[in-house]
Amino acid sequence: MRKAIELSRNGITTNEGGPFGCVVVKGEEIVGVGWNKVTSTNDPTAHAEVVAIRDACTKLGSFQLTGCEIYTSCEPCPMCMGAIYWARPDKVYYANTREDAAAAGFDDSLIYEELTAPMDARKIPMICLHEPEAWKVFEEWKEKEDKTSY
């Protein structure tokens, strides 16, 4: 956790992003590191957890983090939580809470509310077009014999 907190300073001391840091650990080894790089990369997905997950998966040669643990300086936001669940680590430890983040100017409450709102009540309209061609691709995936499931 100390390393994640140390990395959280990188974003602010290097002017790369906000005060968030993360490490991915496998056994006793740090296999991935990340700090917030949103403003320096113009990438809204460059949160510490996403950067660390990408780093760890590249180093491990895997799209799964089974057998790994994540240490992050703050409770993951909804986007990072999604990335964490897709990566499937064994456990996540965090230091600051989402309430602490909100008090520091990083309030994700709108996103949490939007995730549970009906589609027609969301602030950004979400419109399903039900394209038959899109479903056909899903059918092709289901029938594909040499796919790598995840």
Side-chain angles (χ1 to χ4, degrees):
M1 182 59 77
R2 283 186 172 86
K3 181 66 173 175
I5 295 167
E6 176 188 319
L7 291 169
S8 73
R9 285 192 177 89
N10 283 3
I12 59 175
T13 59
T14 62
N15 290 320
E16 291 184 286
F20 304 94
C22 182
V23 297
V24 179
V25 176
K26 186 163 190 166
E28 298 295 317
E29 180 185 358
I30 292 176
V31 294
V33 299
W35 58 89
N36 186 287
K37 296 182 179 184
V38 169
T39 59
S40 62
T41 61
N42 294 319
D43 180 355
T45 69
H47 288 201
E49 295 90 342
V50 173
V51 173
I53 288 168
R54 289 174 179 162
D55 186 42
C57 287
T58 297
K59 287 179 181 165
L60 295 172
S62 174
F63 53 83
Q64 304 268 281
L65 295 178
T66 307
C68 296
E69 295 180 338
I70 293 178
Y71 292 80
T72 183
S73 65
C74 188
E75 180 179 352
C77 75
M79 177 187 68
C80 293
M81 186 65 74
I84 287 166
Y85 272 89
W86 279 113
R88 295 180 177 89
D90 293 350
K91 200 174 289 185
V92 176
Y93 300 93
Y94 62 92
N96 294 319
T97 66
R98 63 176 149 177
E99 292 81 14
D100 297 330
F106 299 93
D107 189 354
D108 295 328
S109 61
L110 171 69
I111 300 170
Y112 284 104
E113 291 166 10
E114 287 286 286
L115 288 173
T116 59
M119 291 293 205
D120 62 352
R122 292 185 178 176
K123 301 211 182 309
I124 298 176
M126 302 280 169
I127 303 156
C128 182
L129 298 178
H130 282 294
E131 292 291 331
E133 295 87 7
W135 179 250
K136 185 176 182 207
V137 177
F138 275 0
E139 287 293 330
E140 291 170 17
W141 171 257
K142 288 170 40 178
E143 294 171 13
K144 184 174 174 59
E145 292 187 20
D146 63 340
K147 66 185 169 199
T148 301
S149 296
Y150 62 100

